[in-house]
Amino acid sequence: MKIKHAEFLISAVGSAQLPTDALPEIALAGRSNVGKSSLINTMIERKNLARTSSVPGKTQQMNYYRINNQLYFVDLPGYGFAKVSKSQREKWGRMIENYLLSREHLKLVLHIIDARHPPTADDQSMYEWLQHFGLPVIIVATKMDKLRKTHVTRHLKIIRQTLQLENEIPLIAFSSETGLGREELWNHILRFIQLEDQDSEVKR
């Protein structure tokens, strides 16, 4: 996908702050420090639009990025970060849950997994939750450049087996360093949005 325009729009903490222009929204969910900001920068071909940090748990709001005035990436607060208070984790959890279950413009969830390690219990719980509520999801395995090429297939197999992924759920190998998976992920995103639009036309 050719990126003509990309901008950071808002850091939101509640529904009253969310955009009202009805563009499709693609949410990014994953553990803290899993590479969500780096993925966004790679997808939009910008170096620092989405701010990356070496400090896990830095993202505490829903960060909206508008792309080509066609869609939003929505970076959700990372889950599974133990060094924040229990009350703060619960607050983030409620915010994320409310958004995922009630946002009518949400079209797809990118569930981000660190390819270097087997999915954690939090990763498994998140995927099970998404499946339980029937939310459309793509699994993106980040930091593939950190793996030896001979280990890639094995690590992807571990992710698929640990999460018990259905065959129809895409699992995309991704690297923000090399750009691996960028075009494949865009193709999935755009194809899905197009299918959603066609369905809407039929329903009307």
Side-chain angles (χ1 to χ4, degrees):
M1 178 174 176
K2 185 176 181 180
I3 306 300
K4 299 179 180 179
H5 177 77
E7 63 176 330
F8 168 75
L9 186 69
I10 192 173
S11 291
V13 295
S15 58
Q17 297 176 296
L18 301 186
T20 59
D21 51 13
L23 293 179
E25 297 179 9
I26 312 300
L28 286 79
R31 291 188 297 113
S32 296
N33 211 29
V34 77
K36 292 189 278 90
S37 296
S38 295
L39 183 148
I40 291 172
N41 286 330
T42 299
M43 294 294 286
I44 62 178
E45 298 179 316
R46 301 289 190 274
K47 289 186 177 180
N48 297 304
L49 184 60
R51 295 182 179 180
T52 60
S53 173
S54 59
V55 180
K58 189 174 181 62
T59 300
Q60 300 181 16
Q61 303 90 21
M62 296 179 290
N63 291 329
Y64 268 74
Y65 300 89
R66 185 160 52 198
I67 302 161
N68 287 354
N69 293 317
Q70 293 177 309
L71 59 90
Y72 287 106
F73 279 150
V74 185
D75 186 9
L76 303 177
Y79 56 78
F81 183 51
K83 291 186 179 181
V84 297
S85 67
K86 181 179 179 181
S87 61
Q88 184 65 56
R89 291 199 303 273
E90 291 175 348
K91 180 180 178 181
W92 291 354
R94 288 193 299 271
M95 179 174 65
I96 293 170
E97 181 174 325
N98 288 338
Y99 169 78
L100 291 175
L101 292 182
S102 64
R103 185 62 171 168
E104 63 178 316
H105 306 308
L106 175 65
K107 301 301 182 182
L108 180 66
V109 179
L110 305 183
H111 188 189
I112 317 299
I113 305 290
D114 188 335
R116 298 173 297 175
H117 315 290
T120 66
D122 287 324
D123 291 328
Q124 295 176 59
S125 295
M126 185 66 188
Y127 178 70
E128 290 171 0
W129 188 91
L130 293 169
Q131 289 297 101
H132 175 76
F133 287 101
L135 293 171
V137 61
I138 292 175
I139 308 298
V140 184
T142 58
K143 306 188 180 183
M144 296 299 299
D145 54 285
K146 307 297 184 184
L147 297 176
R148 294 181 181 179
K149 291 183 179 180
T150 55
H151 293 173
V152 167
T153 300
R154 183 179 69 184
H155 280 247
L156 291 176
K157 183 177 180 180
I158 289 172
I159 291 173
R160 187 167 285 279
Q161 290 179 337
T162 303
L163 296 180
Q164 299 181 17
L165 295 184
E166 294 81 355
N167 291 332
E168 65 271 16
I169 302 296
L171 170 59
I172 298 176
F174 193 92
S175 169
S176 296
E177 293 294 323
T178 67
L180 173 70
R182 178 184 181 274
E183 290 303 319
E184 182 182 2
L185 184 52
W186 267 126
N187 287 339
H188 277 284
I189 291 171
L190 295 177
R191 187 181 303 121
F192 189 87
I193 292 175
Q194 183 179 7
L195 288 173
E196 286 284 325
D197 289 344
Q198 288 174 352
D199 288 345
S200 295
E201 291 293 333
V202 170
K203 291 175 183 178
R204 287 198 293 266

